[in-house]
Amino acid sequence: MTARPADFDTRYFRSALGRFPTGVTVVTTDGGSHGPVGLTISSFNSVSLDPPLVLWTLTRKASSLSYFQRAERYVIHVLSAGQLHLARQFAQGSQASRFAGVDMTRSPHGAPMLADPHCAAWFECHNHSQVEAGDHLIFIGQVERCHRGAGLPLVYHAGDFDLTPSREPLPEP
Ligand SMILES: Cc1cc2nc3c(=O)[nH]c(=O)nc-3n(C[C@H](O)[C@H](O)[C@H](O)COP(=O)(O)O)c2cc1C
């Protein structure tokens, strides 16, 4: 059976999708001679516990698309409420300007990652597979290493950042 045509426009669809609050991540990978490549992504989600799989989606229009298609691995950083500046910085400008003033390090298997210890969590992923889906590509990552921080996560809702109300940080697991 084929799908019926949509009875809404893209603007309305986006605004309905915006009612689903998400976290905010910065995804980084190695751009080879180009240096590190990264961008802000809110389409991150969990897929499978065993094997450990996660997903995120990237618009086909992204200038970083080819780097992520070719990447062996990438790191997904879940931003904390105190990292709003990183969410903004990695959603605009040139790749060089996104990394300006940002301390970088390497993940356990060698991908460039943020050195900021305040991330709510990070996931080092092998680039497991990619699925074409409309105007986006779904990236499925197999998690090789992860870290859970104690900071409260940054939240995105209705097209804007929403600082989680202050609460005690989570206890160590
Ligand atoms: C909060 C937030 C969430 C975003 N989530 C996504 C996303 O899930 N997928 C995507 O393709 N772009 C997303 N973007 C947009 C990209 O960060 C932005 O278009 C970026 O400039 C693309 O970089 P590039 O063209 O250099 O690859 C998001 C932007 C913001 C501010």
Side-chain angles (χ1 to χ4, degrees), residues 39-43 57-59 62-64 91 95 98 156 161:
L39 81 168
T40 302
I41 290 290
S42 61
S43 55
T57 70
L58 182 59
T59 170
S63 61
S64 54
Q95 286 294 337
R98 292 178 195 179
Y156 192 67
F161 296 100

Side-chain angles (χ1 to χ4, degrees), residues 27 48 75 84 88 111 156:
V27 187
S48 161
V75 181
L84 176 59
R88 292 207 167 111
Y156 192 67

